[in-house]
Amino acid sequence: MSVYLPGLEGVPATRSNISFIDGEKGILAYRGYPIEQLAEHSTFEETTMLLLDGRLPSAEELAEFDEQLRRNRRVKYNIREIMKNLPATGHPMEMLQTAIASLGMFYPGNEALTSSRMSEDLTYIHRMTVKLIARIPVIVAMWQHIRNGYDPIPPRQDLTTAENFLYMLNGREPDPLDADIMDTCLVLHAEHTINASTFAALVAGSTLASPYGVIAAAIGTLSGPLHGGANEKVVDMLEEIGRPENVKPWLDKQLASKAKIWGFGHREYSVKDPRAKILQKQMEKLARDRGGKISPLFETALALEEIAEVRLGPKGVYPNVDYYSGILYSEMGIPTDQFTPIFAVSRAAGWLAHWREQLADNRIFRPTQVYIGEPLREYVSIDRR
Amino acid sequence: MSVYLPGLEGVPATRSNISFIDGEKGILAYRGYPIEQLAEHSTFEETTMLLLDGRLPSAEELAEFDEQLRRNRRVKYNIREIMKNLPATGHPMEMLQTAIASLGMFYPGNEALTSSRMSEDLTYIHRMTVKLIARIPVIVAMWQHIRNGYDPIPPRQDLTTAENFLYMLNGREPDPLDADIMDTCLVLHAEHTINASTFAALVAGSTLASPYGVIAAAIGTLSGPLHGGANEKVVDMLEEIGRPENVKPWLDKQLASKAKIWGFGHREYSVKDPRAKILQKQMEKLARDRGGKISPLFETALALEEIAEVRLGPKGVYPNVDYYSGILYSEMGIPTDQFTPIFAVSRAAGWLAHWREQLADNRIFRPTQVYIGEPLREYVSIDRR
């Protein structure tokens, strides 16, 4: 029997050709393409196809997939009614898990997965993947209005995923730079090997559960504060710091007491996270574009980044992807508790790519345990306890 | 690095003191107590406490816990409205995943899990555990009426979990033998080491997600036909066979073509599953009690069991727990697609015991992968593909 390693750290749980990380060299690649090149040249729609199919699509293939996504943005009114019955005080990630689980009842058919006719399965897998990728951002944006007591803004077919998401969220034409940065954020968060939520998707998928059940399991897993919630914490931290001039004394105090600085360091990387470098440039671009009109939070973030990079960089601790994404979303006026749902909008592409890969060579997950409990013993009746 | 074992077979994923299986000796024990003794002397409520706390409760402790369960049976009307907006044609397991995920928004507080004050966490863990164990059966029974267009039957506080479940399902005083058998079924299905759904609960729980998100992840995983759905298949199979006199020719044909016989054999046991032995006795008891008034399906099941045990028993293949539970539920008039939700009603006890154990010594699950994909390559612009 293998040795027990807590959290299965270092234990391979799958064979995969979707992405890889070289944490010492600071490399993240989807299907072999470095994340820097995808962030610069690709879009969320194209990156999703790349993750799913393993290759960059032709112009026609991309146009067809994009058209399918646009046509699948409408959400049934029953789902909207379900959302209206959820308490406004609940966390949007719980809303998202609820709504996605419910979708499975409206789009049945996972018996296709038990068919031995793999060509039919692929049709089902593709159809359901489109439905999910198209609707997750729509549902996240709808909630922003429903929880405030308003009807959601209907989706538009003439916009990209990133543009339509910002349009539905804010109810106005999205700023082109904002939409461009949002698209880059979606590309950057789409996939990151076998983290906890992707692993949960593999485990659920291995029982041939429906993709809605699988993605709902992954969303529940991502909702945990040790996983998806870090970029929320960054904004809380920046609000605690307040003005830029408070950064230096605050950081001194934190470092002296060895307190956690949210958005710095990453278990997978010993050098700077390549996604953080890309987002740092986006942040600088946004700051230039806005000129003086940036929020105090943003200024505080820029100041903390500058000072912390000098102090922590030599120790291999850098601002990570969560640091920048939180600040960028915040500057776009997105509420803090919607950051993790945006993570899910993007990561759904990776989850579904892994789900498909799992099905192609499936074996149900059933690990073992180290039993450390009581040996066999006799039941004692209640009057003798 | 460890070797890659598909499905993590034989790889220990946790240290646990909740249950163990000896598949060669046919032993299953919860907290050291053999399943036979629990089935005979214990109840679902007591067994749940045993799984959660690690010891048999005193009479007072049991009475208090039972009282908490009874007081937590009411379900908010918003949840009922959500259920009314779900399509009647959807699978009850998808309904259950949706409803349980939504509960998290009504009962917030998982920030308690990140608190370092473990005594407060335990209060939160216990409170949420009661809410879930009490409400899952109620929601499953409510759905039976809602999907048929009727208002659900309100729960009663004067009944046990098994009695109230049958009462809410059928709208009449439960038959005492039926309630007794249902209670035994709930005891027998409550825990079975680290299967796929329990594992999904560990993975989701390791991110400190709320227990509703965790149990919804486990429900999605259990919904897969390779996991929870086998007892449904048994009834489909018996309906296909038809009358008892068809059993012999049908079995000959299946064995000759090496086709699957649902409800026979189990990966964990090389001898007869101890739970199957117990249910076989329950089945005989029910047949005696009903006298001649048993359904043809039940007679067919008895005939198949008798013939198959002679033919397959010597090969180590016996009727398993799914074989008997499906037939028993069917004889109680429960619709086939509600069998897996009943599995969830019971297994929630095991899931929540493992969730609590995971939190007591938590490390986030992040296994690794064997990368078999493309090496680093250059992005190709769309006009050159």
Side-chain angles (χ1 to χ4, degrees):
Chain A
M1 198 165 96
S2 322
V3 291
Y4 167 60
L5 295 163
L8 291 172
E9 190 169 347
V11 178
T14 189
R15 263 191 241 277
S16 181
N17 52 33
I18 299 172
S19 69
F20 79 84
I21 295 168
D22 183 331
E24 286 171 26
K25 293 188 184 146
I27 295 171
L28 168 63
Y30 298 170
R31 301 286 190 178
Y33 298 107
I35 193 67
E36 293 82 2
Q37 296 188 18
L38 294 171
E40 189 169 346
H41 303 295
S42 190
T43 61
F44 176 62
E45 291 80 359
E46 184 182 82
T47 296
T48 299
M49 284 194 86
L50 171 67
L51 288 169
L52 293 169
D53 300 335
R55 59 181 180 78
L56 289 166
S58 71
E60 281 121 31
E61 288 167 334
L62 179 58
E64 194 194 331
F65 181 66
D66 189 41
E67 177 63 21
Q68 289 171 346
L69 287 179
R70 288 169 194 240
R71 272 192 281 110
N72 274 280
R73 282 186 188 147
R74 292 206 305 168
V75 168
K76 287 176 195 270
Y77 56 73
N78 286 63
I79 310 272
R80 193 180 62 222
E81 293 307 309
I82 288 168
M83 291 168 72
K84 285 183 181 176
N85 276 294
L86 294 171
T89 48
H91 195 283
M93 281 299 277
E94 298 177 308
M95 176 287 300
L96 191 59
Q97 191 185 29
T98 305
I100 297 306
S102 81
L103 275 182
M105 300 184 82
F106 294 94
Y107 302 113
N110 74 311
E111 59 275 17
L113 298 177
T114 54
S115 144
S116 53
R117 288 164 297 185
M118 195 61 190
S119 62
E120 283 183 27
D121 293 3
L122 276 180
T123 309
Y124 170 77
I125 288 170
H126 179 77
R127 216 169 63 241
M128 297 300 145
T129 298
V130 166
K131 285 187 193 301
L132 278 158
I133 300 280
R135 285 188 179 81
I136 296 174
V138 170
I139 288 169
V140 172
M142 283 169 69
W143 180 241
Q144 191 50 35
H145 302 281
I146 290 175
R147 70 167 163 179
N148 287 322
Y150 297 104
D151 281 318
I153 290 165
R156 273 168 53 183
Q157 285 204 23
D158 62 325
L159 301 175
T160 67
T161 299
E163 286 166 353
N164 182 62
F165 178 67
L166 289 175
Y167 165 72
M168 286 186 67
L169 208 57
N170 300 319
R172 57 170 189 269
E173 281 307 311
D175 173 84
L177 181 60
D178 281 5
D180 197 52
I181 290 175
M182 178 56 72
D183 186 70
T184 303
C185 287
L186 295 181
V187 168
L188 294 181
H189 287 84
E191 164 60 15
H192 209 241
T193 75
I194 315 299
N195 45 69
S197 58
T198 302
F199 188 39
L202 292 183
V203 173
S206 78
T207 72
L208 305 186
S210 93
Y212 304 96
V214 169
I215 298 304
I219 291 168
T221 307
L222 184 66
S223 74
L226 294 190
H227 190 1
N231 52 11
E232 285 192 37
K233 300 278 186 194
V234 169
V235 173
D236 295 345
M237 177 185 78
L238 292 171
E239 281 171 349
E240 185 199 311
I241 298 174
R243 303 282 319 153
E245 55 268 30
N246 301 341
V247 164
K248 225 174 144 55
W250 178 88
L251 187 64
D252 286 337
K253 204 177 116 236
Q254 293 298 104
L255 293 178
S257 65
K258 294 188 198 302
K260 179 146 185 71
I261 303 167
W262 289 99
F264 283 77
H266 194 292
R267 188 157 135 186
E268 297 288 318
Y269 299 99
S270 53
V271 297
K272 193 164 180 178
D273 181 339
R275 301 168 300 173
K277 287 189 198 171
I278 298 163
L279 286 181
Q280 186 173 14
K281 281 188 200 135
Q282 301 288 325
M283 191 161 141
E284 289 158 4
K285 208 197 285 180
L286 191 66
R288 271 198 310 277
D289 180 77
R290 299 274 152 108
K293 291 188 291 177
I294 51 173
S295 76
L297 194 71
F298 203 64
E299 288 181 65
T300 304
L302 289 167
L304 176 59
E305 181 225 306
E306 205 178 327
I307 298 173
E309 201 151 354
V310 175
R311 303 271 301 268
L312 297 170
K315 294 177 194 166
V317 176
Y318 296 95
N320 61 35
V321 69
D322 297 318
Y323 184 73
Y324 295 109
S325 62
I327 303 162
L328 285 165
Y329 299 152
S330 182
E331 183 62 23
M332 290 181 198
I334 298 171
T336 313
D337 64 359
Q338 291 277 36
F339 296 175
T340 314
I342 297 175
F343 192 163
V345 165
S346 164
R347 184 57 56 85
W351 290 333
L352 288 161
H354 281 280
W355 171 62
R356 181 166 151 180
E357 188 174 71
Q358 175 69 30
L359 292 178
D361 186 20
N362 190 46
R363 183 160 174 78
I364 192 169
F365 279 91
R366 208 206 190 288
T368 183
Q369 64 177 9
V370 179
Y371 183 67
I372 52 167
E374 294 286 335
L376 278 179
R377 49 181 170 167
E378 288 288 313
Y379 183 85
V380 179
S381 69
I382 199 156
D383 50 309
R384 291 192 294 124
R385 282 176 212 155
Chain B
M1 200 166 95
S2 321
V3 291
Y4 168 59
L5 295 163
L8 291 172
E9 191 170 347
V11 178
T14 189
R15 264 191 240 277
S16 180
N17 52 32
I18 298 171
S19 68
F20 79 85
I21 296 169
D22 184 329
E24 286 171 25
K25 293 188 185 149
I27 295 171
L28 167 64
Y30 298 170
R31 301 285 190 180
Y33 298 107
I35 193 66
E36 292 81 3
Q37 296 188 17
L38 294 171
E40 189 169 345
H41 303 296
S42 190
T43 61
F44 176 62
E45 291 81 359
E46 183 182 82
T47 296
T48 300
M49 284 195 85
L50 171 66
L51 289 170
L52 292 169
D53 300 335
R55 59 179 181 79
L56 290 166
S58 71
E60 280 123 33
E61 288 167 334
L62 179 58
E64 193 193 331
F65 181 66
D66 189 42
E67 177 64 21
Q68 289 170 344
L69 288 179
R70 288 169 194 241
R71 272 192 281 109
N72 274 279
R73 283 187 187 147
R74 291 207 306 168
V75 168
K76 287 176 196 270
Y77 56 74
N78 285 63
I79 310 271
R80 193 180 63 222
E81 293 307 309
I82 288 167
M83 291 169 72
K84 286 184 180 175
N85 276 294
L86 294 171
T89 49
H91 196 284
M93 281 299 277
E94 298 177 308
M95 175 287 299
L96 191 59
Q97 192 185 28
T98 305
I100 297 306
S102 80
L103 275 183
M105 299 183 81
F106 294 95
Y107 302 113
N110 75 310
E111 57 275 19
L113 298 177
T114 54
S115 142
S116 54
R117 287 165 297 184
M118 195 60 192
S119 64
E120 283 183 27
D121 293 3
L122 276 180
T123 309
Y124 170 77
I125 288 170
H126 179 78
R127 217 171 61 240
M128 297 299 146
T129 298
V130 166
K131 285 187 192 303
L132 278 158
I133 300 279
R135 285 187 179 83
I136 295 174
V138 169
I139 287 169
V140 172
M142 283 170 68
W143 180 241
Q144 191 51 34
H145 302 280
I146 291 175
R147 69 167 165 180
N148 286 322
Y150 296 104
D151 281 318
I153 291 165
R156 272 169 52 183
Q157 285 203 24
D158 62 325
L159 301 175
T160 67
T161 299
E163 287 166 352
N164 182 62
F165 177 67
L166 290 175
Y167 165 73
M168 286 187 66
L169 209 57
N170 301 318
R172 58 170 187 269
E173 279 308 308
D175 173 85
L177 181 60
D178 281 6
D180 197 50
I181 291 176
M182 178 56 72
D183 187 69
T184 303
C185 287
L186 295 181
V187 168
L188 294 181
H189 288 84
E191 163 63 14
H192 208 240
T193 74
I194 315 298
N195 45 70
S197 57
T198 302
F199 188 39
L202 293 184
V203 174
S206 78
T207 72
L208 305 185
S210 92
Y212 303 95
V214 168
I215 298 305
I219 290 168
T221 307
L222 184 65
S223 75
L226 295 190
H227 191 3
N231 52 10
E232 285 192 38
K233 300 277 186 195
V234 169
V235 173
D236 295 345
M237 179 184 78
L238 292 172
E239 281 170 352
E240 186 199 309
I241 299 173
R243 301 282 320 153
E245 54 268 30
N246 301 341
V247 164
K248 226 175 142 61
W250 178 89
L251 187 64
D252 286 338
K253 204 176 116 238
Q254 293 297 104
L255 292 177
S257 65
K258 294 188 197 301
K260 180 148 183 69
I261 302 167
W262 289 100
F264 283 78
H266 194 293
R267 189 157 136 187
E268 297 288 320
Y269 298 98
S270 53
V271 296
K272 192 162 179 177
D273 181 337
R275 300 168 301 172
K277 288 189 197 169
I278 297 163
L279 285 182
Q280 186 173 13
K281 282 189 201 135
Q282 302 288 325
M283 192 161 139
E284 288 157 6
K285 207 195 289 181
L286 191 65
R288 270 198 310 278
D289 181 75
R290 299 274 152 107
K293 293 187 289 177
I294 51 174
S295 75
L297 194 74
F298 203 65
E299 289 181 64
T300 304
L302 289 166
L304 176 60
E305 181 226 306
E306 204 177 327
I307 299 173
E309 199 151 355
V310 175
R311 303 273 299 269
L312 297 170
K315 295 177 191 165
V317 176
Y318 295 96
N320 60 35
V321 69
D322 298 316
Y323 183 73
Y324 295 109
S325 62
I327 303 162
L328 285 166
Y329 298 153
S330 182
E331 183 62 23
M332 290 181 199
I334 298 171
T336 313
D337 64 359
Q338 291 275 37
F339 295 176
T340 314
I342 297 175
F343 192 163
V345 165
S346 164
R347 184 58 54 86
W351 291 333
L352 287 161
H354 281 279
W355 169 63
R356 180 166 151 181
E357 187 175 71
Q358 175 69 29
L359 292 178
D361 186 20
N362 190 46
R363 182 158 174 80
I364 192 169
F365 278 92
R366 207 204 192 289
T368 183
Q369 63 177 11
V370 180
Y371 183 67
I372 53 166
E374 295 285 337
L376 278 180
R377 49 180 170 169
E378 288 288 312
Y379 184 85
V380 180
S381 70
I382 197 156
D383 50 309
R384 291 192 294 123
R385 281 176 213 155

